[in-house]
mmCIF file of all heavy atoms in Angstrom:
data_model
loop_
_atom_site.group_PDB
_atom_site.id
_atom_site.type_symbol
_atom_site.label_atom_id
_atom_site.label_comp_id
_atom_site.label_asym_id
_atom_site.label_seq_id
_atom_site.Cartn_x
_atom_site.Cartn_y
_atom_site.Cartn_z
ATOM 1 N N ALA A 107 7.698 22.277 19.014
ATOM 2 C CA ALA A 107 6.339 21.984 19.513
ATOM 3 C C ALA A 107 5.250 22.610 18.652
ATOM 4 O O ALA A 107 4.071 22.250 18.781
ATOM 5 C CB ALA A 107 6.205 22.488 20.947
ATOM 6 N N LEU A 108 5.627 23.524 17.772
ATOM 7 C CA LEU A 108 4.632 24.344 17.058
ATOM 8 C C LEU A 108 3.527 23.557 16.344
ATOM 9 O O LEU A 108 2.346 23.878 16.499
ATOM 10 C CB LEU A 108 5.358 25.280 16.081
ATOM 11 C CG LEU A 108 4.557 26.472 15.580
ATOM 12 C CD1 LEU A 108 4.083 27.339 16.745
ATOM 13 C CD2 LEU A 108 5.378 27.294 14.609
ATOM 14 N N PRO A 109 3.868 22.500 15.591
ATOM 15 C CA PRO A 109 2.791 21.762 14.908
ATOM 16 C C PRO A 109 1.761 21.188 15.890
ATOM 17 O O PRO A 109 0.573 21.120 15.574
ATOM 18 C CB PRO A 109 3.530 20.626 14.183
ATOM 19 C CG PRO A 109 4.921 21.130 14.016
ATOM 20 C CD PRO A 109 5.197 21.972 15.231
ATOM 21 N N LEU A 110 2.214 20.816 17.102
ATOM 22 C CA LEU A 110 1.295 20.280 18.108
ATOM 23 C C LEU A 110 0.416 21.387 18.666
ATOM 24 O O LEU A 110 -0.790 21.215 18.860
ATOM 25 C CB LEU A 110 2.097 19.630 19.245
ATOM 26 C CG LEU A 110 3.057 18.513 18.824
ATOM 27 C CD1 LEU A 110 3.979 18.148 19.974
ATOM 28 C CD2 LEU A 110 2.269 17.296 18.370
ATOM 29 N N LEU A 111 1.035 22.560 18.918
ATOM 30 C CA LEU A 111 0.292 23.724 19.416
ATOM 31 C C LEU A 111 -0.807 24.122 18.445
ATOM 32 O O LEU A 111 -1.956 24.342 18.828
ATOM 33 C CB LEU A 111 1.246 24.915 19.590
ATOM 34 C CG LEU A 111 1.975 25.040 20.906
ATOM 35 C CD1 LEU A 111 2.991 26.175 20.833
ATOM 36 C CD2 LEU A 111 0.985 25.296 22.041
ATOM 37 N N ILE A 112 -0.435 24.201 17.164
ATOM 38 C CA ILE A 112 -1.395 24.604 16.134
ATOM 39 C C ILE A 112 -2.539 23.604 16.076
ATOM 40 O O ILE A 112 -3.682 23.962 15.826
ATOM 41 C CB ILE A 112 -0.689 24.726 14.764
ATOM 42 C CG1 ILE A 112 0.275 25.910 14.794
ATOM 43 C CG2 ILE A 112 -1.687 24.880 13.626
ATOM 44 C CD1 ILE A 112 1.160 26.016 13.569
ATOM 45 N N ASP A 113 -2.227 22.353 16.349
ATOM 46 C CA ASP A 113 -3.248 21.304 16.300
ATOM 47 C C ASP A 113 -4.032 21.214 17.617
ATOM 48 O O ASP A 113 -4.870 20.331 17.786
ATOM 49 C CB ASP A 113 -2.566 19.958 15.980
ATOM 50 C CG ASP A 113 -3.575 18.919 15.515
ATOM 51 O OD1 ASP A 113 -4.525 19.282 14.796
ATOM 52 O OD2 ASP A 113 -3.435 17.744 15.904
ATOM 53 N N GLY A 114 -3.737 22.109 18.550
ATOM 54 C CA GLY A 114 -4.484 22.139 19.808
ATOM 55 C C GLY A 114 -4.153 21.014 20.773
ATOM 56 O O GLY A 114 -4.957 20.673 21.642
ATOM 57 N N GLN A 115 -2.962 20.438 20.634
ATOM 58 C CA GLN A 115 -2.575 19.338 21.534
ATOM 59 C C GLN A 115 -2.066 19.871 22.874
ATOM 60 O O GLN A 115 -1.599 21.011 22.956
ATOM 61 C CB GLN A 115 -1.454 18.508 20.887
ATOM 62 C CG GLN A 115 -1.803 17.919 19.545
ATOM 63 C CD GLN A 115 -2.753 16.746 19.649
ATOM 64 O OE1 GLN A 115 -2.832 16.086 20.678
ATOM 65 N NE2 GLN A 115 -3.503 16.509 18.583
ATOM 66 N N ASN A 116 -2.141 19.050 23.893
ATOM 67 C CA ASN A 116 -1.603 19.389 25.208
ATOM 68 C C ASN A 116 -0.083 19.209 25.194
ATOM 69 O O ASN A 116 0.433 18.092 25.197
ATOM 70 C CB ASN A 116 -2.255 18.479 26.260
ATOM 71 C CG ASN A 116 -1.635 18.651 27.627
ATOM 72 O OD1 ASN A 116 -0.822 19.550 27.845
ATOM 73 N ND2 ASN A 116 -2.033 17.797 28.554
ATOM 74 N N ILE A 117 0.637 20.343 25.197
ATOM 75 C CA ILE A 117 2.086 20.319 25.009
ATOM 76 C C ILE A 117 2.811 19.609 26.150
ATOM 77 O O ILE A 117 3.792 18.913 25.942
ATOM 78 C CB ILE A 117 2.608 21.770 24.869
ATOM 79 C CG1 ILE A 117 2.096 22.376 23.572
ATOM 80 C CG2 ILE A 117 4.125 21.824 24.894
ATOM 81 C CD1 ILE A 117 2.540 21.629 22.348
ATOM 82 N N LYS A 118 2.301 19.785 27.378
ATOM 83 C CA LYS A 118 2.922 19.161 28.566
ATOM 84 C C LYS A 118 3.206 17.673 28.310
ATOM 85 O O LYS A 118 4.279 17.166 28.598
ATOM 86 C CB LYS A 118 1.987 19.291 29.775
ATOM 87 C CG LYS A 118 2.299 20.506 30.637
ATOM 88 C CD LYS A 118 3.255 20.083 31.762
ATOM 89 C CE LYS A 118 3.821 21.227 32.572
ATOM 90 N NZ LYS A 118 4.998 21.861 31.995
ATOM 91 N N LYS A 119 2.190 17.028 27.750
ATOM 92 C CA LYS A 119 2.268 15.588 27.501
ATOM 93 C C LYS A 119 3.425 15.244 26.558
ATOM 94 O O LYS A 119 3.961 14.146 26.586
ATOM 95 C CB LYS A 119 0.936 15.157 26.866
ATOM 96 C CG LYS A 119 0.572 13.718 27.077
ATOM 97 C CD LYS A 119 -0.804 13.403 26.491
ATOM 98 C CE LYS A 119 -0.711 13.074 25.020
ATOM 99 N NZ LYS A 119 -2.025 13.010 24.352
ATOM 100 N N TYR A 120 3.785 16.190 25.710
ATOM 101 C CA TYR A 120 4.779 15.914 24.668
ATOM 102 C C TYR A 120 6.194 16.353 25.046
ATOM 103 O O TYR A 120 7.121 16.199 24.266
ATOM 104 C CB TYR A 120 4.366 16.601 23.365
ATOM 105 C CG TYR A 120 3.229 15.898 22.660
ATOM 106 C CD1 TYR A 120 1.918 16.272 22.898
ATOM 107 C CD2 TYR A 120 3.474 14.849 21.775
ATOM 108 C CE1 TYR A 120 0.864 15.634 22.275
ATOM 109 C CE2 TYR A 120 2.432 14.203 21.145
ATOM 110 C CZ TYR A 120 1.126 14.600 21.392
ATOM 111 O OH TYR A 120 0.096 13.969 20.766
ATOM 112 N N GLU A 121 6.349 16.925 26.254
ATOM 113 C CA GLU A 121 7.675 17.443 26.612
ATOM 114 C C GLU A 121 8.797 16.403 26.496
ATOM 115 O O GLU A 121 9.851 16.705 25.952
ATOM 116 C CB GLU A 121 7.650 18.073 28.000
ATOM 117 C CG GLU A 121 7.316 19.555 27.903
ATOM 118 C CD GLU A 121 7.060 20.212 29.237
ATOM 119 O OE1 GLU A 121 7.351 19.589 30.286
ATOM 120 O OE2 GLU A 121 6.566 21.361 29.228
ATOM 121 N N PRO A 122 8.571 15.164 26.983
ATOM 122 C CA PRO A 122 9.644 14.163 26.831
ATOM 123 C C PRO A 122 9.981 13.905 25.369
ATOM 124 O O PRO A 122 11.155 13.752 25.018
ATOM 125 C CB PRO A 122 9.048 12.905 27.473
ATOM 126 C CG PRO A 122 7.929 13.380 28.340
ATOM 127 C CD PRO A 122 7.410 14.632 27.707
#
Side-chain angles (χ1 to χ4, degrees):
L108 198 58
L110 303 169
L111 273 173
I112 292 172
D113 197 37
Q115 302 286 336
N116 173 8
I117 293 300
K118 265 267 171 276
K119 205 176 85 191
Y120 285 92
E121 270 171 12

